[in-house]
Amino acid sequence: MGSKDQGGGAASSGGGFFSSFAAGMRTWGTAVHKSVNGLLGYEGLEVINPDGGSDDAEEEALRGRWKQEDRDSYWKMMHKYIGSDVTSLVTLPVIIFEPMTMLQKMAELMEYCELLDKADECEDPYMRMAYAAAWAVSVYFAFQRTWKPFNPILGETYEMVNHQGITFLAEQVFLRISFQKSLIQTTYIKYIANSAIFLPLFCQVSHHPPMGVAHCENEHFTYDITSKLKTKFLGNSVEVYPVGRTRVTLKKSGIVFDLVPPLTKINNLIFGRTWIDSPGEMVMTNLTTGDKVVLYFQPCGWFGAGRYEVDGYVYSAQEEPKIMITGKWNTSMSCQPCDQEGEPLPGTELKEIWRLAPTPKNDKYQYTHFAHKINSFDTAPKKLLPSDSRLRPDRYALEMGDMSKSSSEKSRLEEQQRAEKRVREAKGEQFTPKWFNLTDAVSPTPWGDLEVYEYNGKYTEHRAAIDSSNVADETDITSIEFNPWQYGSSSSQ
């Protein structure tokens, strides 16, 4: 592999880069190919029919709560939506949910944030990018869960402290609700049950994807994201395009990283065992120096061949490969210095830079220990915002195993959200986020332009005032009533 060819691709922008890089990856067959197949092997792969089938339908029904007798009727119903953006589909039953919201799932990016700490402390500019890229890959293990998070209520927030010194805040800032009932009723949407990615499908029709934003920082870095999704329903699968802008700033060096992840495909929605794949390239760019990481997520083939594998390079601003990165997103990632042809340098060794932490066995929702930590009030600051996801009665009831109460509370919250929208429209007002401001910036992505929100700093002031207060907070945090509403007087009646 010549450095000029690959570097030229990495230096390009827009659709040309993404298409040329994908084509270039097919010609590798050298250092990167051997690094995964030869060094890591194919042990422990799950046998999967990538096109779906009836051979594992019974096991999938037990796993995903999908009734076999319903498949044919739903398949006929969904034909008309092939090619559509499924963010317009609505009304989901609680039985397919996990006790976590989308905002909390955004916080799962921080499980291995010590990799960003290492990037900040690293003096080598290319190893710095390797650590940051490993952090970006590490979250994909959590994305394979087969349960649907709750959709955030407009104005809902999530706060997290007591993890690696970080302060994390997410807020739901945009949602359009139509009062037209969907043709798809509560019993379908099985693909949502098996989507472990950021897929904010709300309770009513919305052709404009809802949007969530988050800010996180500790002594080493700041992290900011504006995120919404576009989707395409393909019959027995759905493609999800992550329209978002991510900025990671390392405090020691002041450099800024931009991240463009690959699309995600949810396979075998109706027929066969549902599973998730993210084939394609992830690009992380150092906006300060022009260095770049390009990682290729191998598509899964028959019998699991290639599944989980990630390969790529850290490139200099001069388009030369400097470090080879290889591994599996469900296990570990390693790196090794390389020459201009992408081959490992003599006398160097493959160094592991990330490994999946031990996970609970036989966990109902396939949660990691960190996912349980996200739901815990132990990670909440004192005087928790009443809009926090932990306090949602539908989410909490599901966590406690009360499916009936979770369903009724979910319906009540959705109706209250619609009632508040009516009040807002009657007043001629628009929803205004508390902790983030809409900017004039429009960020281009491979899948469309994105309006960008930025953290306004008010939460830092709010939290500092609370922390400096000498008044003891003796409130039972679990007794706080969930309240994200802009108009406290609006009701579901």
Side-chain angles (χ1 to χ4, degrees), residues 196-417:
I197 51 178
F198 300 158
L199 191 57
L201 301 177
F202 278 72
C203 60
Q204 290 293 320
V205 176
S206 172
H207 293 287
H208 301 271
M211 185 178 297
V213 294
H215 173 81
C216 178
E217 64 179 290
N218 66 5
E219 63 178 337
H220 291 287
F221 68 88
T222 61
Y223 162 85
D224 293 277
I225 184 171
T226 300
S227 178
K228 68 178 181 180
L229 300 175
K230 293 176 65 176
T231 62
K232 187 175 183 180
F233 177 59
L234 300 175
N236 200 30
S237 64
V238 64
E239 291 182 347
V240 183
Y241 307 93
V243 182
R245 193 187 79 159
T246 299
R247 292 287 186 271
V248 176
T249 303
L250 302 182
K251 292 186 174 181
K252 183 177 179 180
S253 62
I255 65 174
V256 180
F257 295 137
D258 172 81
L259 177 66
V260 179
L263 64 83
T264 292
K265 187 173 183 179
I266 309 163
N267 300 277
N268 300 347
L269 307 180
I270 302 175
F271 304 107
R273 182 184 304 177
T274 302
W275 57 282
I276 296 172
D277 201 17
S278 295
E281 59 270 15
M282 171 185 285
V283 181
M284 176 173 279
T285 305
N286 184 330
L287 298 179
T288 307
T289 66
D291 300 336
K292 184 173 293 188
V293 178
V294 183
L295 298 179
Y296 185 69
F297 285 60
Q298 297 283 351
C300 178
W302 277 88
F303 302 105
R307 191 180 186 193
Y308 309 123
E309 295 182 9
V310 182
D311 310 296
Y313 291 100
V314 177
Y315 292 93
S316 70
Q318 290 72 41
E319 306 174 0
E320 297 178 346
K322 294 294 184 180
I323 295 179
M324 177 184 71
I325 302 177
T326 184
K328 297 180 179 180
W329 54 256
N330 71 327
T331 308
S332 65
M333 295 297 294
S334 301
C335 68
Q336 187 171 3
C338 64
D339 60 23
Q340 292 189 9
E341 299 301 318
E343 298 287 349
L345 288 176
T348 64
E349 296 181 351
L350 198 64
K351 174 185 176 183
E352 185 177 276
I353 54 177
W354 169 75
R355 175 164 288 277
L356 181 73
T359 59
K361 293 183 178 179
N362 302 319
D363 190 87
K364 179 177 180 180
Y365 294 105
Q366 299 92 45
Y367 276 7
T368 64
H369 290 291
F370 182 72
H372 284 289
K373 191 175 180 180
I374 285 176
N375 261 344
S376 172
F377 287 101
D378 292 340
T379 57
K382 65 179 182 179
K383 294 190 176 180
L384 182 69
L385 292 172
S387 51
D388 193 87
S389 298
R390 296 177 188 84
L391 302 173
R392 282 184 58 151
D394 52 355
R395 186 214 65 79
Y396 187 71
L398 182 60
E399 185 178 11
M400 295 297 102
D402 192 337
M403 196 77 68
S404 177
K405 183 176 181 180
S406 178
S407 181
S408 62
E409 290 290 350
K410 177 176 177 287
S411 296
R412 181 180 65 83
L413 291 176
E414 290 169 353
E415 179 54 38
Q416 191 166 352
Q417 183 168 237

Side-chain angles (χ1 to χ4, degrees), residues 84-265:
S84 300
D85 184 342
V86 295
T87 53
S88 63
L89 302 181
V90 301
T91 310
L92 310 175
V94 166
I95 195 171
I96 68 173
F97 281 67
E98 64 177 335
M100 182 182 289
T101 73
M102 287 292 181
L103 298 183
Q104 291 174 286
K105 200 160 185 67
M106 291 175 74
E108 287 199 75
L109 280 162
M110 294 298 114
E111 178 165 6
Y112 297 96
C113 64
E114 67 270 14
L115 290 167
L116 293 180
D117 296 348
K118 290 180 180 180
D120 184 51
E121 295 168 345
C122 186
E123 297 295 335
D124 185 308
Y126 305 120
M127 274 304 302
R128 181 186 298 150
M129 294 207 69
Y131 283 124
W135 162 79
V137 171
S138 69
V139 73
Y140 278 82
F141 179 81
F143 286 2
Q144 66 178 332
R145 288 204 303 268
T146 57
W147 302 82
K148 163 75 173 69
F150 283 89
N151 302 316
I153 300 295
L154 188 61
E156 183 176 327
T157 59
Y158 176 72
E159 302 174 81
M160 183 174 66
V161 297
N162 301 329
H163 175 71
Q164 300 290 336
I166 67 170
T167 298
F168 178 95
L169 173 69
E171 181 176 11
Q172 193 69 13
V173 297
F174 180 77
L175 169 64
R176 291 192 182 178
I177 305 175
S178 167
F179 297 105
Q180 179 181 359
K181 291 289 185 179
S182 169
L183 295 176
I184 310 302
Q185 296 303 314
T186 60
T187 50
Y188 177 61
I189 325 298
K190 183 253 188 177
Y191 58 88
I192 305 300
N194 294 279
S195 167
I197 51 178
F198 300 158
L199 191 57
L201 301 177
F202 278 72
C203 60
Q204 290 293 320
V205 176
S206 172
H207 293 287
H208 301 271
M211 185 178 297
V213 294
H215 173 81
C216 178
E217 64 179 290
N218 66 5
E219 63 178 337
H220 291 287
F221 68 88
T222 61
Y223 162 85
D224 293 277
I225 184 171
T226 300
S227 178
K228 68 178 181 180
L229 300 175
K230 293 176 65 176
T231 62
K232 187 175 183 180
F233 177 59
L234 300 175
N236 200 30
S237 64
V238 64
E239 291 182 347
V240 183
Y241 307 93
V243 182
R245 193 187 79 159
T246 299
R247 292 287 186 271
V248 176
T249 303
L250 302 182
K251 292 186 174 181
K252 183 177 179 180
S253 62
I255 65 174
V256 180
F257 295 137
D258 172 81
L259 177 66
V260 179
L263 64 83
T264 292
K265 187 173 183 179

